[in-house]
Amino acid sequence: MKRLITTLLIMTITTNFAQEQAQDTVLQNEQKMQWFKDAKLGIFIHWGLYSVNGIDESWSFYNGYISHENYLKQTKGFTAKKYDPQAWADLIKRSGAKYSVITAKHHEGFALWDTKFGDFNAVKGSAAKKDVLTPFVSELRKNNLKVGIYYSLPDWSYHDYTHFTRDSIRYKISDEPKRWNKFLNYYQGQLKELSDNYNPDLYWFDGDWEHNSQEWEVPKVRQMLFDNNPNTILNSRLREQGDYATPEQGMPITRPKNKFWELCLTMNDSWGFQKNDHNYKTTDQIIGIFADVIGNGGNMLLDIGPKGDGSIPEEQVAILEGLGRWTNKHKEAIYGTRSGIPKEHFYGPTTLSKDGNILYLFVKGDSNGEVVIRGLKNRINRIYVVGEGTKLSHQVIGKVYWSHYPGINYIKLPEHVLDENLTVLAVMLDGKVDLYREDGAVIESN
């Protein structure tokens, strides 16, 4: 009997310890992800050899649109003569972004820093003849912007990597394990360089689909990065062993299930610079997508594609400046907020203050002079226009004494308070937002 009691006691202690450890892990992850959750906006930068002739990054030779030999000729045009990392960082900060992710190495293997692993980099293998990654990271740090490093796991130009083009595979790992180990040492060596030299706040991996977790040695890589910085964040493209999801291009129609997620989005239809791609989204469209993203609890990583000389296309600069005007005006409704209310209650994006006491409404156009909130059980203390302060009046319709149905709030929206892109209203509540989520009431007595 004593032995049974002792066994049960040990099992209870072990279970409690395991639960406490799990809770500690969740808490540590929440703390690690806090800056990312609050940041809302990042700027993605696709810059490399493909920026010279304006062709598809890496995929152009992989898919056979151009030979690998001709693709590599772009090294002669990667001059970075107009590259101004200080101006880049300043523009990113003015856009309202809180972090930036740059393609340190894309699938073709060209590295922007002075790596000791091979000569295919901006210093030894291009007309620029200089490290272009280090000064940019330095400028981000000076501007208190978080540093994100994009790194491609595949390296289609490296002779000891398995894949080369869509219809050409160099070897199978099972046939040549020593050759694969040589590649593992190469790519993991580069990652250690990036970790030691730049200590990124975030790693943005890509290309993990070509091999499984065991082949990439994902657990080993994760541990190496966390040993150097336990607070670094990894995206999901490390065989799903990351901290957040990365939907690409298409804004999710329904709210993602992941607690942390980021929509990566191009300004036109291309990631890198494409001289013939003039299909730019308007500033209105980008702001509208951004509002949808943060209203659903995510971040937006908006992409720019500098040219081979390091200059940023004028269209992209104009979009970032227009975005920056809007984000600066409406920062209280953006940064540090949480996902808003279901769209049955307001036909548009919404966010909430961290304490849930302020509801922010993102209003497209003039809304016919009237904004509607349905099923809000809270009493409204005040409504004002974000960024310019005008107090607005409202009226409650449909609330009757015999039902707990809260009625419908109609907010008057005069034309003179409208923002040129997207107007934001702040609705101050008498406590944490409380919504009516039932069927409408039926009269049983009157």
Side-chain angles (χ1 to χ4, degrees):
M1 187 66 177
K2 288 183 179 179
R3 186 174 296 174
L4 176 60
I5 293 173
T6 301
T7 301
L8 290 173
L9 182 60
I10 292 173
M11 290 175 63
T12 301
I13 293 172
T14 302
T15 300
N16 289 341
F17 179 70
Q19 290 175 342
E20 289 175 2
Q21 279 192 318
Q23 290 172 353
D24 288 344
T25 299
V26 171
L27 180 60
Q28 289 171 2
N29 191 59
E30 290 281 342
Q31 292 172 341
K32 182 180 84 167
M33 297 299 293
Q34 188 66 52
W35 75 259
F36 181 83
K37 185 73 172 176
D38 290 342
K40 305 303 178 188
L41 180 63
I43 299 301
F44 213 173
I45 303 173
H46 275 70
W47 194 37
L49 296 188
Y50 44 85
S51 307
V52 175
N53 293 338
I55 60 176
D56 289 337
E57 57 286 338
S58 306
W59 295 99
S60 51
F61 78 79
Y62 182 83
N63 287 323
Y65 304 137
I66 184 176
S67 70
H68 184 247
E69 181 183 3
N70 284 334
Y71 184 93
L72 295 186
K73 288 179 180 178
Q74 292 176 107
T75 54
K76 299 176 182 178
F78 191 80
T79 64
K81 285 183 178 179
K82 297 182 180 179
Y83 172 49
D84 186 344
Q86 183 177 355
W88 279 23
D90 181 63
L91 177 62
I92 290 167
K93 188 170 186 177
R94 293 203 315 272
S95 76
K98 301 299 181 182
Y99 64 105
S100 183
V101 178
I102 185 169
T103 52
K105 191 192 80 168
H106 206 269
H107 308 324
E108 93 280 77
F110 180 73
L112 298 186
W113 78 100
D114 189 14
T115 178
K116 296 178 182 177
F117 293 83
D119 296 333
F120 192 32
N121 59 71
V123 180
K124 305 182 188 75
S126 82
K129 298 188 184 304
K130 61 183 178 182
D131 175 349
V132 294
L133 180 60
T134 301
F136 178 63
V137 171
S138 178
E139 290 299 328
L140 289 180
R141 299 283 190 210
K142 288 178 185 178
N143 283 275
N144 295 317
L145 297 168
K146 297 291 187 180
V147 174
I149 298 292
Y150 170 107
Y151 184 85
S152 168
L153 296 171
D155 190 326
W156 293 333
S157 295
Y158 189 67
H159 54 85
D160 284 314
Y161 182 64
T162 52
H163 293 59
F164 178 43
T165 62
R166 183 173 293 279
D167 55 3
S168 175
I169 295 179
R170 294 184 177 95
Y171 65 96
K172 293 182 179 179
I173 295 175
S174 57
D175 295 336
E176 300 186 56
K178 289 184 178 179
R179 195 172 178 184
W180 179 248
N181 283 331
K182 186 176 179 181
F183 171 73
L184 290 179
N185 291 332
Y186 166 80
Y187 107 79
Q188 291 171 17
Q190 285 193 330
L191 277 178
K192 191 171 189 313
E193 282 183 337
L194 293 171
S195 178
D196 291 342
N197 296 343
Y198 307 113
N199 191 25
D201 301 290
L202 182 152
Y203 290 90
W204 215 101
F205 290 106
D206 203 7
D208 62 344
W209 58 82
E210 290 191 338
H211 293 285
N212 60 39
S213 177
Q214 182 179 2
E215 290 168 340
W216 288 124
E217 296 187 340
V218 168
K220 175 184 175 181
V221 169
R222 276 173 50 87
Q223 193 58 51
M224 175 184 71
L225 300 179
F226 288 148
D227 283 345
N228 194 54
N229 181 0
N231 290 318
T232 197
I233 294 173
L234 311 180
N235 76 335
S236 61
R237 302 187 188 190
L238 193 63
R239 301 306 299 183
E240 300 300 323
Q241 296 299 304
D243 298 300
Y244 70 94
T246 55
E248 186 172 320
Q249 293 288 49
M251 170 63 203
I253 301 302
T254 58
R255 185 173 297 182
K257 295 178 181 179
N258 304 76
K259 188 169 186 178
F260 306 103
W261 64 277
E262 169 194 76
L263 172 69
C264 47
L265 182 75
T266 55
M267 288 186 175
N268 49 13
D269 295 326
S270 310
W271 293 106
F273 169 66
Q274 292 270 4
K275 64 182 70 178
N276 295 321
D277 185 354
H278 304 293
N279 191 32
Y280 280 95
K281 301 169 182 67
T282 66
T283 303
D284 274 357
Q285 290 168 342
I286 287 175
I287 290 173
I289 295 170
F290 179 46
D292 274 335
V293 168
I294 61 177
N296 281 295
N299 289 11
M300 183 171 79
L301 187 63
L302 183 63
D303 182 69
I304 60 174
K307 301 176 183 179
D309 62 7
S311 61
I312 300 174
E314 294 179 0
E315 301 95 330
Q316 298 180 13
V317 172
I319 288 173
L320 289 185
E321 289 179 340
L323 178 60
R325 182 208 67 82
W326 186 84
T327 54
N328 183 64
K329 178 181 177 182
H330 302 101
K331 52 191 173 186
E332 74 164 273
I334 301 171
Y335 309 109
T337 59
R338 295 298 176 255
S339 57
I341 61 177
K343 293 191 176 179
E344 306 95 85
H345 297 275
F346 174 73
Y347 294 158
T350 59
T351 59
L352 285 163
S353 58
K354 281 186 180 180
D355 61 11
N357 290 349
I358 303 178
L359 172 63
Y360 295 101
L361 311 176
F362 295 76
V363 183
K364 179 69 174 176
D366 63 6
S367 196
N368 291 322
E370 200 166 56
V371 174
V372 182
I373 309 175
R374 302 161 192 82
L376 181 64
K377 295 165 73 173
N378 302 80
R379 182 171 62 85
I380 294 176
N381 291 334
R382 185 184 184 91
I383 303 172
Y384 62 91
V385 182
V386 175
E388 62 103 67
T390 299
K391 181 180 178 181
L392 301 179
S393 60
H394 76 286
Q395 180 184 17
V396 180
I397 299 295
K399 181 174 177 57
V400 292
Y401 72 90
W402 48 264
S403 171
H404 62 283
Y405 175 70
I408 303 172
N409 287 278
Y410 289 85
I411 304 169
K412 300 299 180 183
L413 187 65
E415 187 176 350
H416 70 268
V417 304
L418 298 178
D419 182 81
E420 63 185 84
N421 298 119
L422 191 67
T423 306
V424 184
L425 309 183
V427 182
M428 300 179 67
L429 309 173
D430 62 352
K432 189 173 181 178
V433 67
D434 189 11
L435 301 173
Y436 178 84
R437 301 288 290 166
E438 303 172 33
D439 294 336
V442 175
I443 298 176
E444 295 179 350
S445 65
N446 194 4

